Amino acid sequence: MARIRTIKPEFPQSESIGTLSRDARLLFIQLWTLADDAGRARAAARMLASLLYPYDDDAPALIESWLRELEKVECIRRYEVDGTRYLEICNWQKHQKIDRPSASKLPAHPEASRADIEPARQQIEASRDSIEPAARPRAVALPARERSSNPRESSRALAADLGPGTKDQGPGYSEAHASGVAQAPPLDPRMKLFREGLETVQMLTGKPADKCRTFLGRLLKDLDDDCVTAMRILEDARTTNPADPVSWIAGAVARRRKPAPARSGEKSLAYIGKSLGLIPEMAL
């Protein structure tokens, strides 16, 4: 998820930044908007090109050289955990001041020291402590109970004070009702496909969202509008990370489809992917 970040006025005068090409400087700034509050982000080059340069056809071929420039001057460092590539922005705490940072969901660099992690942890703790006392729940002193010589009487009295249990609330009652927390409805399969599935196709192909969205529409048509199966195929493709994702997905669809007579003039999923320009890039 993109975030609003700040640029210091002295950024252009930095000597290390001055050694970078203009494209690498722009990439460095744009990476700040993708990084989480710990300065980490996924580092798949094709995915970064599609997200940061959606209108530049040459970006997928050039972005790797810009990333190497940033690594050379220690603006970023890239690493891999369980087969997935990540990056973290060096001296993140100097670049950005975040009032209430969220804990990162991405793994830290394997060689990250406590000195690297401690500032971020302290910033998170400080943001929690800054919450005004009025916003915090107050402890309420309960009246002292008289000791009973019969433990069973004490437990029965305690149960009476606590009110009716879960079983007494009638059918359909749950702990969520007791806590007053509203349960979020499950994400609609089609919405999930065109949100998470679209991101997966962009990551695998490095192409703009409009072309990937057209490809998803054809994928759904070939699967008789089965969003769950389509999402499962895309998740498998993301895990496998094949050199030619469109052909791989087309093969997976063919194995799941029921045999049906070919329709006159109907084009295959692989043909659609090729016509959108998804195939040549993926084979690189």
Side-chain angles (χ1 to χ4, degrees), residues 11-127:
F11 177 85
Q13 285 77 42
S14 169
E15 292 185 5
S16 59
I17 295 299
T19 63
L20 298 170
S21 65
R22 281 178 292 183
D23 290 323
R25 290 178 222 166
L26 176 60
L27 174 60
F28 187 36
I29 294 172
Q30 292 197 106
L31 286 175
W32 301 351
T33 66
L34 286 184
D36 61 19
D37 290 346
R40 302 174 197 149
R42 298 185 184 276
R46 288 185 298 188
M47 181 194 69
L48 293 176
S50 66
L51 293 176
L52 300 178
Y53 301 93
Y55 304 111
D56 299 299
D57 295 334
D58 59 345
L62 298 174
I63 193 168
E64 181 62 34
S65 63
W66 303 336
L67 289 168
R68 284 197 296 267
E69 282 189 63
L70 295 176
E71 276 190 308
K72 185 177 180 181
V73 297
E74 297 183 348
C75 286
I76 66 170
R77 58 178 180 176
R78 290 185 285 179
Y79 56 99
E80 188 172 314
V81 177
D82 295 333
T84 302
R85 302 196 71 186
Y86 302 93
L87 65 82
E88 68 176 12
I89 297 173
C90 302
N91 300 317
W92 175 251
Q93 303 300 326
K94 294 181 180 179
H95 292 301
Q96 303 295 323
K97 177 170 174 52
I98 304 168
D99 292 334
R100 295 184 181 179
S102 302
S104 178
K105 296 181 180 180
L106 303 180
H109 191 287
E111 298 178 2
S113 64
R114 185 171 181 81
D116 298 325
I117 300 174
E118 189 63 20
R121 187 193 66 79
Q122 291 178 353
Q123 193 173 18
I124 293 175
E125 293 296 330
S127 68

Side-chain angles (χ1 to χ4, degrees), residues 7-274:
I7 305 176
K8 294 183 178 179
E10 58 269 24
F11 177 85
Q13 285 77 42
S14 169
E15 292 185 5
S16 59
I17 295 299
T19 63
L20 298 170
S21 65
R22 281 178 292 183
D23 290 323
R25 290 178 222 166
L26 176 60
L27 174 60
F28 187 36
I29 294 172
Q30 292 197 106
L31 286 175
W32 301 351
T33 66
L34 286 184
D36 61 19
D37 290 346
R40 302 174 197 149
R42 298 185 184 276
R46 288 185 298 188
M47 181 194 69
L48 293 176
S50 66
L51 293 176
L52 300 178
Y53 301 93
Y55 304 111
D56 299 299
D57 295 334
D58 59 345
L62 298 174
I63 193 168
E64 181 62 34
S65 63
W66 303 336
L67 289 168
R68 284 197 296 267
E69 282 189 63
L70 295 176
E71 276 190 308
K72 185 177 180 181
V73 297
E74 297 183 348
C75 286
I76 66 170
R77 58 178 180 176
R78 290 185 285 179
Y79 56 99
E80 188 172 314
V81 177
D82 295 333
T84 302
R85 302 196 71 186
Y86 302 93
L87 65 82
E88 68 176 12
I89 297 173
C90 302
N91 300 317
W92 175 251
Q93 303 300 326
K94 294 181 180 179
H95 292 301
Q96 303 295 323
K97 177 170 174 52
I98 304 168
D99 292 334
R100 295 184 181 179
S102 302
S104 178
K105 296 181 180 180
L106 303 180
H109 191 287
E111 298 178 2
S113 64
R114 185 171 181 81
D116 298 325
I117 300 174
E118 189 63 20
R121 187 193 66 79
Q122 291 178 353
Q123 193 173 18
I124 293 175
E125 293 296 330
S127 68
R128 290 174 180 170
D129 294 340
S130 65
I131 300 175
E132 296 187 10
R136 299 179 183 173
R138 296 182 178 179
V140 179
L142 297 177
R145 296 183 177 278
E146 295 182 1
R147 293 183 177 270
S148 172
S149 58
N150 189 338
R152 292 187 178 181
E153 290 182 5
S154 299
S155 62
R156 282 195 293 268
L158 177 61
D161 290 345
L162 291 177
T166 302
K167 295 181 179 179
D168 298 330
Q169 300 294 333
Y173 185 83
S174 65
E175 294 298 329
H177 291 81
S179 61
V181 178
Q183 297 295 303
L187 192 63
D188 178 76
R190 180 177 290 271
M191 185 179 297
K192 180 178 181 181
L193 177 66
F194 279 90
R195 182 183 299 175
E196 299 177 10
L198 180 63
E199 179 183 344
T200 296
V201 176
Q202 283 186 272
M203 185 197 73
L204 291 172
T205 64
K207 291 296 181 179
D210 56 342
K211 293 186 177 182
C212 295
R213 196 175 288 110
T214 301
F215 179 76
L216 279 180
R218 178 56 204 227
L219 173 63
L220 264 184
K221 182 178 180 181
D222 279 10
L223 290 171
D224 296 327
D225 212 33
D226 187 347
C227 298
V228 175
T229 299
M231 193 65 209
R232 187 176 298 119
I233 290 174
L234 293 178
E235 289 172 350
D236 291 344
R238 185 166 188 161
T239 302
T240 306
N241 194 21
D244 185 354
V246 169
S247 297
W248 190 98
I249 292 171
V253 171
R255 289 190 294 273
R256 285 171 170 80
R257 288 183 68 182
K258 297 178 181 179
R263 300 175 185 173
S264 175
E266 186 177 34
K267 295 179 175 59
S268 68
L269 182 63
Y271 180 90
I272 295 295
K274 185 176 181 180

